[in-house]
């Protein structure tokens, strides 16, 4: 009976999505029950967590209501590094069926573990993710997230399989083959980072393949922040709908939150991951609707429970009902991280704001660099932008106009005066293909 | 009738002019004339060469941003008021000059000027009607050794 209901091409309801629609009181009940269990588990098996609770004179019994979570200590990324590799595990290795690790940009990676139950939860939340993005049995999913230690590839793979879709585990890279597969295998959905997919669109054009003419209809994008301008471009150029998904290895990998057809924020699968928004400076919890740092608690993770993990991602929580009918709360799309924040003349500035402004003016993101200096006690922000063939003109006036437009767009978004300098291509230093975005030369 | 002019973006700092000139020299391409427009911040180098496509590729290979635009070479009497006459013709027809510069060569009693117009075809028609001579690429390059 069920399969006919939820597998139809019109994208009917998938039973795995049921918790997305729990009535709120019921949802809070589930959350409290699971919170008590996970706090007990971490207290029992993770020495670092136990000692931090004891320092505060707390025990698992101190959790009486969901609000009591605010008394618990935060967990931060350095806790994972300090206890490398297995110090935060709450399960013996015999119960761990999978390890993943994030490539640390500095020093040791962080290692995360999954029991069989954790893998099942992960598959479930990824199934719910794909269902929210409108996928169903019969879809052919090209999974271009990297397979390996990175959680993206396998996380999406298990979810798409559990959904009943056909998965092509192509992983990242080899763009020409990606495009061949997309065209020849009747691919209807792609999972990728938005920047890699943008690259695929460009490569397809060079190869004379028009993605808009393929059966491709959905893009599931994650693992990096991307702007609405970029989404509109991707959607138009590939003839698809692009959905934003969110996750992080420390919590589970992809599958923490996902957009739905309303494309108006990402629903947090909060029956498994309890979200809070805090003031990143003081750590004080903020009410729904306020902007701050996202803090997540894994309510059902067994191998590696994370209690109040500080994601460093800046967003807000929306409690209002969503047009799609899901009752689980939404986070606004994440564009910036609290550790990226620059304070310039007392104003909070994020490199992603500069990025959004450049993207708005140029259509594609040029290479740029933000340089901070201090002259006579006053902070100066200079943005260097590499000139591209698209904006270059033989006329001084036209080039001056480009410079002014870029400067105004940035000033409009960040709210402080900016010195914009056009520089020659490839003059901004790249380290491992990635540019260093901010150079702070202020001597404080 | 029209010439292809190459433009190169340069940062306004010492030594930047060297890169494009060396890239072109390495290809054995002779520069017929050039002009440099600059602001405090950046400069635009404009070049007329015999083989703009090859020079374009060489400049891009050297990592520079290049574009090509069509410009018009006009014979102007090399005497006081010669240029003013030509400009009067353009002004009379309401044609805007984006910029102009002198060609390094002369033909007899004529000087050659390079004009950048928004609408080069209309400018050519107007100038020819007024009896001014437009110099095409072949003619121009024939005079260069």
């Amino acid at each position: 009976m069920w399969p006919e209901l939820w597998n139809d091409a019109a994208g009917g309801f998938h039973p795995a999505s049921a918790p997305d629609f729990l009535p709120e009181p019921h949802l809070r009940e589930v959350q409290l029950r699971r919170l008590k269990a996970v706090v007990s588990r971490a207290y029992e098996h993770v020495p670092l967590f136990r000692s931090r609770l004891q320092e505060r004179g707390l025990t698992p019994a101190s959790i009486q209501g969901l609000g009591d979570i605010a008394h618990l200590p935060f967990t931060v990324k350095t806790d994972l590094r300090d206890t490398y590799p297995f110090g935060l595990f709450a399960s013996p290795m015999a119960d761990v069926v999978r390890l993943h690790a994030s490539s640390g940009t500095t020093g040791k990676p962080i290692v995360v573990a999954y029991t069989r139950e954790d893998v099942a939860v992960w598959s479930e939340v990824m199934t719910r993710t794909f269902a929210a993005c409108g996928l169903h049995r019969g879809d052919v999913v090209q999974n271009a997230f990297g397979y390996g230690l990175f959680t993206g590839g396998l996380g999406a793979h298990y979810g798409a399989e559990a959904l009943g879709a056909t998965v092509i585990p192509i992983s990242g890279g080899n763009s020409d083959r990606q495009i061949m597969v997309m065209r020849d295998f009747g691919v209807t959905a792609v999972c990728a980072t938005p920047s890699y997919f943008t690259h695929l669109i460009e490569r397809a054009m060079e190869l004379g393949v028009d993605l808009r003419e393929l059966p491709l209809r959905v893009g599931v994008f994650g693992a990096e922040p991307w702007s609405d301008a970029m989404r509109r471009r991707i959607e138009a150029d590939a003839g698809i709908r692009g959905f934003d998904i969110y996750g992080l290895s420390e919590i589970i990998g992809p599958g923490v939150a996902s957009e739905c057809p309303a494309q108006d924020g990402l629903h947090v699968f909060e029956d498994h991951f309890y979200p809070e928004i805090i003031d990143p400076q003081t750590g004080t919890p903020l009410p729904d609707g306020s902007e701050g740092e996202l803090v997540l608690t894994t309510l059902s993770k067994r191998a590696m429970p994370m209690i109040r993990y500080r994601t460093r991602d800046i967003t807000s929580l929306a409690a209002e009902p969503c047009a799609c009918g899901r009752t689980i709360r939404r986070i606004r799309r994440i564009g910036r991280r609290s550790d990226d924040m620059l304070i310039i003349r007392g104003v909070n500035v994020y490199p992603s704001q500069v990025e959004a402004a450049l993207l708005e003016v140029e259509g594609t993101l040029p290479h740029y660099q933000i340089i901070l200096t201090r002259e006579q006690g006053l902070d100066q922000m200079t943005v260097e932008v590499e000139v591209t063939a698209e904006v270059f003109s033989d006329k001084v006036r036209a080039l001056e106009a480009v410079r002014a437009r870029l400067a105004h767009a940035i000033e409009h978004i960040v709210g402080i005066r900016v010195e914009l300098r056009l520089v020659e291509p490839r003059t901004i230093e790249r380290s491992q293909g990635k540019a260093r975005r901010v150079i702070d030369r202020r001597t404080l | 009738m029209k010439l292809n002019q190459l433009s190169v973006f340069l940062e306004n700092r010492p030594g930047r002019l060297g890169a494009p000139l060396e890239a072109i020299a390495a290809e054995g391409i002779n520069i017929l004339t050039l002009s440099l427009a600059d602001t405090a911040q950046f400069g635009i180098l404009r070049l007329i060469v015999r083989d703009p496509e090859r020079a374009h590729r060489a400049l891009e290979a050297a990592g520079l941003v290049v574009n090509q635009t069509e410009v018009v070479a006009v014979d102007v009497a090399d005497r006081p008021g010669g240029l003013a006459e030509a400009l009067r013709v353009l002004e009379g027809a309401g044609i805007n000059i984006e910029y102009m510069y002198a060609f390094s060569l002369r033909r007899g009693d004529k000087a050659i000027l390079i004009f950048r117009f928004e609408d080069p075809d209309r400018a050519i028609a107007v100038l020819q009607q007024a009896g001014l001579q437009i110099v095409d690429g072949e003619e121009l390059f024939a005079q260069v050794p």
Side-chain angles (χ1 to χ4, degrees):
Chain A
M1 230 11 237
W2 273 108
E4 279 64 46
L5 255 177
W6 55 267
N7 280 327
D8 64 331
F13 182 78
H14 192 289
S17 296
D20 295 3
F21 300 89
L22 278 179
E24 201 199 326
H26 186 176
L27 175 63
R28 302 283 170 250
E29 215 180 282
V30 170
Q31 286 173 326
L32 180 59
R33 194 174 68 238
R34 289 183 175 170
L35 177 65
K36 286 177 173 172
V38 79
V39 167
S40 297
R41 184 175 177 81
Y43 187 85
E44 239 172 88
H45 300 290
V46 184
L48 180 79
F49 182 68
R50 183 170 51 245
S51 63
R52 282 185 180 167
L53 242 58
Q54 284 167 344
E55 277 166 27
R56 288 168 172 73
L58 298 170
T59 68
S62 314
I63 301 289
Q64 291 301 312
L66 277 174
D68 293 328
I69 197 169
H71 304 304
L72 298 175
F74 293 115
T75 308
V76 294
K77 193 163 201 150
T78 48
D79 291 334
L80 284 108
R81 296 235 162 85
D82 295 345
T83 57
Y84 173 86
F86 306 144
L88 296 183
F89 288 12
S91 296
M93 205 52 96
D95 292 340
V96 172
V97 299
R98 178 98 60 82
L99 295 176
H100 279 283
S102 83
S103 56
T105 42
T106 49
K108 295 268 201 257
I110 57 161
V111 182
V112 295
Y114 303 78
T115 65
R116 196 169 297 285
E117 297 92 325
D118 293 336
V119 171
V121 167
W122 197 8
S123 301
E124 178 205 313
V125 288
M126 277 311 290
T127 304
R128 289 160 68 181
T129 294
F130 287 127
C133 298
L135 300 190
H136 45 76
R137 202 178 82 171
D139 269 310
V140 179
V141 180
Q142 180 164 342
N143 184 14
F145 284 135
Y147 282 68
L149 283 181
F150 172 58
T151 49
L154 284 171
H157 184 107
Y158 275 54
E161 264 189 19
L163 182 78
T166 309
V167 189
I168 306 170
I170 193 163
S171 195
N174 199 340
S175 306
D176 289 10
R177 189 179 58 179
Q178 299 269 3
I179 290 156
M180 181 196 77
V181 164
M182 212 178 284
R183 191 190 51 198
D184 296 349
F185 292 13
V187 168
T188 58
V190 169
C191 304
T193 61
S195 60
Y196 186 59
F197 191 73
T198 304
H199 168 75
L200 288 181
I201 292 175
E202 284 165 10
R203 186 65 193 141
M205 279 173 188
E206 284 167 21
L207 295 173
V209 177
D210 188 346
L211 297 184
R212 290 170 301 185
E213 288 170 2
L214 303 183
L216 189 65
R217 61 182 177 84
V218 172
V220 178
F221 301 116
E224 63 187 21
W226 52 307
S227 65
D228 279 323
M230 193 163 168
R231 186 209 314 254
R232 285 193 293 274
R233 218 182 155 74
I234 286 175
E235 290 190 332
D237 290 350
I240 60 171
R241 284 195 81 191
F243 296 96
D244 192 13
I245 66 168
Y246 174 76
L248 58 168
S249 300
E250 298 91 314
I251 298 302
I252 198 152
V256 173
S258 170
E259 279 189 331
C260 64
Q263 289 179 319
D264 184 22
L266 289 76
H267 291 279
V268 180
F269 299 114
E270 59 171 318
D271 48 323
H272 292 299
F273 314 110
Y274 188 79
E276 296 171 86
I277 298 291
I278 62 159
D279 178 327
Q281 254 81 51
T282 63
T284 317
L286 300 172
D288 285 353
S290 332
E291 186 180 88
E293 180 181 336
L294 177 66
V295 170
L296 291 165
T297 298
T298 62
L299 296 178
S300 45
K301 267 282 255 349
R302 296 185 62 82
M304 202 166 152
M306 279 288 134
I307 311 290
R308 302 195 86 201
Y309 184 74
R310 292 189 61 161
T311 65
R312 300 286 165 191
D313 290 318
I314 302 291
T315 183
S316 61
L317 263 176
E320 312 87 69
C322 178
C324 76
R326 282 176 177 75
T327 51
I328 50 176
R329 285 173 289 175
R330 286 167 290 159
I331 48 171
R332 203 164 32 77
R333 295 187 66 200
I334 288 159
R336 50 203 224 207
R337 297 174 51 79
S338 65
D339 42 7
D340 291 340
M341 191 177 81
L342 307 166
I343 302 176
I344 303 168
R345 284 184 232 168
V347 178
N348 298 349
V349 174
Y350 294 89
S352 57
Q353 295 175 301
V354 171
E355 211 157 285
L358 296 175
L359 197 62
E360 206 64 57
V361 174
E362 291 209 22
T364 54
L365 188 63
H367 277 281
Y368 72 95
Q369 194 162 50
I370 298 166
I371 297 163
L372 303 178
T373 51
R374 181 163 288 178
E375 283 155 40
Q376 292 161 346
L378 209 58
D379 292 345
Q380 307 287 340
M381 174 169 161
T382 302
V383 179
E384 291 190 340
V385 178
E386 284 187 6
V387 170
T388 58
E390 285 70 41
V391 301
F392 178 52
S393 161
D394 61 313
K395 294 181 277 184
V396 172
R397 195 155 38 92
L399 216 44
E400 274 293 354
V402 168
R403 199 175 73 85
R405 270 212 311 281
L406 290 169
H408 287 150
I410 296 171
E411 283 167 3
H412 182 72
I413 292 185
V414 305
I416 60 167
R417 220 194 65 76
V418 150
E419 164 81 22
L420 197 126
R421 207 178 290 153
L422 295 175
V423 299
E424 290 170 29
R426 286 179 256 176
T427 49
I428 292 172
E429 181 204 337
R430 285 126 169 100
S431 49
Q432 297 166 349
K434 250 181 172 176
R436 242 176 98 198
R437 292 310 192 193
V438 181
I439 298 205
D440 199 338
R441 294 204 187 111
R442 293 176 293 186
T443 37
L444 303 174
Chain B
M1 274 304 174
K2 289 166 281 185
L3 298 174
N4 277 331
Q5 170 195 263
L6 296 174
S7 306
V8 181
F9 177 82
L10 295 176
E11 283 171 46
N12 201 349
R13 54 188 170 87
R16 290 316 301 154
L17 196 51
L21 299 183
E22 272 160 31
I24 289 180
E27 282 288 302
I29 297 170
N30 196 11
I31 298 170
L32 303 184
T33 196
L34 62 77
S35 113
L36 187 62
D38 69 323
T39 72
Q41 236 257 318
F42 58 81
I44 301 171
L45 174 67
R46 298 159 185 151
L47 299 162
I48 305 281
V49 297
R50 193 193 296 268
D51 189 347
E53 292 304 331
R54 201 151 62 88
H56 192 150
R57 283 194 298 274
L59 290 164
E60 277 190 340
L64 295 157
V65 174
V66 188
N67 83 2
Q68 280 195 45
T69 27
E70 291 180 327
V71 292
V72 180
V74 184
D75 260 347
V76 176
D78 192 8
R79 57 172 166 74
L83 176 57
E85 277 168 27
L87 296 183
R88 263 199 301 278
V89 170
L90 295 167
E91 198 186 345
I95 288 174
N96 225 6
I97 302 167
E98 296 287 346
Y99 55 80
M100 56 170 287
Y101 53 97
F103 203 82
S104 54
L105 290 170
R106 296 185 54 215
R107 304 206 296 182
D109 58 349
K110 300 285 179 82
I112 301 170
L113 290 169
I114 304 288
F115 285 89
R116 166 73 154 95
F117 299 111
E118 204 54 78
D119 183 353
D121 293 320
R122 198 163 94 80
I124 288 171
V126 165
L127 287 165
Q128 281 179 327
Q129 210 166 17
L132 283 139
Q133 192 76 38
I134 309 296
V135 192
D136 68 22
E138 265 172 53
E139 242 179 292
L140 203 56
F141 300 136
Q143 301 176 41
V144 185

